[in-house]
Amino acid sequence: MRIETNLIDRKGQNFRDLPKEKKSNGNNNNKSKKGRRRQKKPTESVVKELLRTCKEVFARGGAGIVPHAKDVERLRSVLDGMQPADVGLSPAMPYFKTVETEGAPPITYLHLYECNKFSIGIFCLPPSAVIPLHNHPGMTVFSKLLFGTMHIKSYDWVTDVPHSTNQNPNPSNCQPTGIRLAKIKTDSDFTAPCNTSILYPAAGGNMHCFTAITSCAVLDVLGPPYSDPEGRHCTYYRDFQYTSFSGDAELVPEEEREGYAWLEEREKKPDDLNVVGAMYTGPKIVGN
């Protein structure tokens, strides 16, 4: 899902400083083995490892280009091992509290990093918050559930049938112009810790919807990120049961119809979607 990040720091400033390494006060003339021992480099933070891996994996990336399978597994492995504390999060933070408000609960987006090759960010959802059904045009997307329980429903387009094939439609049940048939990829609850989910430009559930069962946090890596100038717009959809439109009843065998749905493009972002940006305050992802 696209988030406007112009009000969120993109330059790595105002991040929490990591402890600085203390300088040694030892005698320079000390020729003992201890004195000659090389200092061990500090362990690379998990978020810096994530950034470094993303830069390598998406180095030759672009719209519609899927990274090599070995690179996909490298990045998946880094994300699979991540914990909420690695990005400075805990379920007790205000982002995840139930708030008495009219309409949908607000979702908080923490912007970590973005370049023309990929972006990294975290969605913080209180209970019952929903990220509506939307697409990821030409993208490979990694989603890591850091904590909580979430329902994910995802679809891929069915490409081997016409978009609209009504020859003798029932006027009261005819599908609208522009609606497309999609196959359900995922329709399940996920509870952390669980494996990172991956979607691809034309597979893996490129269009998905997230519903928070409990408070939860999802770290997203998008390669490449959304870009209006480059034609990668975030489009939202409504979904309808396959049987909602009888004109195309013969496209899918009756015993398989529960695995399909019709998707209709929304003209604009849903009015009840409330996403606010907040400053990322976890360990530094860029800089020393």
Side-chain angles (χ1 to χ4, degrees):
M1 183 175 72
R2 182 176 184 180
I3 301 298
E4 296 295 340
T5 55
N6 56 309
L7 298 179
I8 305 174
D9 181 29
R10 294 187 180 208
K11 298 182 180 179
Q13 300 174 354
N14 297 325
F15 289 114
R16 180 183 301 161
D17 288 333
L18 295 175
K20 296 182 179 180
E21 183 180 0
K22 293 182 179 180
K23 295 182 179 180
S24 173
N25 294 322
N27 190 339
N28 292 333
N29 295 324
N30 187 344
K31 300 300 181 180
S32 66
K33 291 183 179 180
K34 182 177 180 180
R36 292 196 302 270
R37 187 180 302 148
R38 294 179 62 186
Q39 287 186 336
K40 184 179 179 181
K41 291 183 179 181
T43 302
E44 181 180 43
S45 70
V46 177
V47 288
K48 287 187 176 181
E49 181 186 8
L50 173 62
L51 178 60
R52 174 176 54 80
T53 305
C54 287
K55 288 181 176 180
E56 295 169 357
V57 167
F58 293 109
R60 296 178 177 83
I65 300 175
V66 177
H68 190 278
K70 289 184 179 179
D71 289 329
V72 169
E73 290 306 313
R74 282 178 58 208
L75 183 50
R76 185 210 296 266
S77 178
V78 173
L79 289 165
D80 280 348
M82 292 190 69
Q83 303 291 328
D86 295 327
V87 288
L89 291 181
S90 77
M93 298 176 80
Y95 314 134
F96 308 106
K97 300 297 184 183
T98 300
V99 179
E100 294 295 334
T101 181
E102 294 184 4
I107 298 168
T108 302
Y109 179 76
L110 308 178
H111 175 77
L112 275 69
Y113 185 88
E114 183 173 330
C115 63
N116 65 339
K117 296 290 187 180
F118 65 91
S119 65
I120 305 173
I122 302 171
F123 290 96
C124 305
L125 292 83
S128 76
V130 177
I131 297 178
L133 184 63
H134 62 283
N135 69 346
H136 306 83
M139 303 178 191
T140 302
V141 179
F142 297 74
S143 296
K144 168 62 178 176
L145 183 61
L146 295 170
F147 67 81
T149 298
M150 170 179 286
H151 185 87
I152 300 177
K153 190 168 189 178
S154 66
Y155 301 88
D156 288 313
W157 293 122
V158 175
T159 58
D160 56 353
V161 297
H163 294 181
S164 179
T165 62
N166 291 320
Q167 296 178 356
N168 297 294
N170 179 341
S172 64
N173 223 21
C174 180
Q175 68 187 65
T177 302
I179 203 165
R180 290 186 61 179
L181 183 63
K183 183 175 176 60
I184 298 173
K185 173 64 178 179
T186 304
D187 189 8
S188 302
D189 292 347
F190 293 83
T191 300
C194 57
N195 293 334
T196 301
S197 64
I198 307 173
L199 62 83
Y200 301 94
N206 185 274
M207 296 156 288
H208 64 201
C209 172
F210 290 166
T211 302
I213 307 301
T214 68
S215 59
C216 51
V218 183
L219 191 156
D220 267 359
V221 176
L222 280 62
Y226 290 103
S227 171
D228 286 339
E230 297 180 16
R232 293 190 299 278
H233 313 288
C234 182
T235 302
Y236 295 89
Y237 298 90
R238 297 182 183 89
D239 55 348
F240 302 91
Q241 292 182 351
Y242 180 82
T243 55
S244 298
F245 306 106
S246 61
D248 287 327
E250 303 304 319
L251 287 177
V252 177
E254 184 174 359
E255 64 274 12
E256 299 178 14
R257 290 175 187 172
E258 289 187 359
Y260 291 81
W262 299 101
L263 303 189
E264 180 185 24
E265 181 177 330
R266 292 174 178 257
E267 294 183 358
K268 61 179 182 178
K269 182 182 74 172
D271 293 334
D272 59 352
L273 176 59
N274 181 13
V275 181
V276 295
M279 182 66 65
Y280 168 72
T281 59
K284 280 186 177 181
I285 191 169
V286 294
N288 297 325

